Amino acid sequence: MSAPNETFLLGERLFSPEDLSSIVARVAGQIDADYQGVGESLVLLGVLKGALYFLSDLSRRIQAPHQIDLIGARSYDGTQSTGAVAITKSPDTDLTGKHVIVVEDIYDTGRTLATIEDYLRRHEARSVALCSLFAKRRGPVFPANLRYIGAEIDDRFIVGYGLDCDEAWRHLPYVAVLTSPSIADPS
Ligand code: IMP
Ligand code: MG
């Protein structure tokens, strides 16, 4: 049987299941502190499919009452950003008047979250905050609306805990760097 993706190898493990669990607990605590008392008008909107594992764990850690929904967006082909972001699935619930926290797996160029934020403004969400499990350090600062960041990482391609490369490796319980055989240590 061939490997799921033969042109890449799993490299350094950056986050263990325990690391991920404590990141989720910290972000949940921040959200609880910020959204006390907003009741059922709080919605966690996960971005398919990469944020599924994070959304599921985060939702179970947040004590404030909330609903969950999903939105589809796609910008990557393999390890390359295509530059254009398409909304591939609309949320099922009406988000008008809701406090929405967009839950994403990783913030890279910011185009995906900008596109989703624009969608939510057009659908008249009451407030929009952005939450990303990971954020790649590309510039000196992240935008102010990226309110919750689980962990900052260097500009490397990572997989696991929902993050994929062409649909492979999402199911890993840890997060690892993806390397190309040509740059891997041959020993
Ligand atoms: P952005 O629109 O450039 O911010 O890209 C964000 C999207 O690209 C994420 O939702 C991921 O699906 C994908 N992506 C970016 N970097 C990585 C990575 O290192 N591993 C897996 N997916 C990534
Ligand atoms: Mg994604």
Side-chain angles (χ1 to χ4, degrees):
M1 201 173 94
S2 64
N5 189 322
E6 289 167 310
T7 45
F8 297 101
L9 296 170
L10 281 182
E12 184 191 352
R13 289 190 190 196
L14 294 184
F15 299 92
S16 68
E18 294 74 25
D19 296 332
L20 294 165
S21 171
S22 54
I23 288 170
V24 168
R26 176 175 50 77
V27 173
Q30 291 170 343
I31 291 173
D32 270 330
D34 290 348
Y35 287 86
Q36 269 175 12
V38 302
E40 292 294 331
S41 67
L42 175 60
V43 179
L44 298 188
L45 184 65
V47 183
L48 288 169
K49 302 173 200 170
L52 280 178
Y53 299 66
F54 179 42
L55 174 74
S56 158
D57 288 341
L58 188 65
S59 172
R60 283 176 288 182
R61 282 283 194 158
I62 292 174
Q63 287 174 18
H66 62 275
Q67 300 174 8
I68 61 163
D69 204 341
L70 298 165
I71 189 167
R74 193 159 195 283
S75 69
Y76 259 68
D77 189 9
T79 61
Q80 299 302 313
S81 178
T82 61
V85 180
I87 300 284
T88 54
K89 182 206 171 294
S90 305
D92 292 333
T93 47
D94 181 6
L95 298 175
T96 307
K98 304 281 189 180
H99 293 286
V100 181
I101 302 177
V102 182
V103 178
E104 174 64 307
D105 54 357
I106 186 162
Y107 181 95
D108 185 6
T109 64
R111 285 195 206 98
T112 302
L113 285 177
T115 304
I116 292 171
E117 189 172 11
D118 181 58
Y119 173 97
L120 293 171
R121 301 260 178 238
R122 278 187 281 114
H123 287 78
E124 299 180 349
R126 184 150 160 205
S127 70
V128 180
L130 308 179
C131 169
S132 190
L133 174 59
F134 300 113
K136 286 190 194 177
R137 278 184 224 105
R138 283 171 169 264
V141 284
F142 293 111
N145 58 359
L146 183 56
R147 202 182 302 163
Y148 309 100
I149 298 176
E152 295 180 24
I153 62 162
D154 294 332
D155 189 8
R156 297 198 281 179
F157 200 86
I158 58 173
V159 292
Y161 193 61
L163 291 101
D164 74 311
C165 177
D166 284 343
E167 300 299 326
W169 291 300
R170 281 194 203 282
H171 59 89
L172 299 178
Y174 54 86
V175 170
V177 176
L178 203 59
T179 62
S180 158
S182 57
I183 56 169
D185 181 352
S187 62

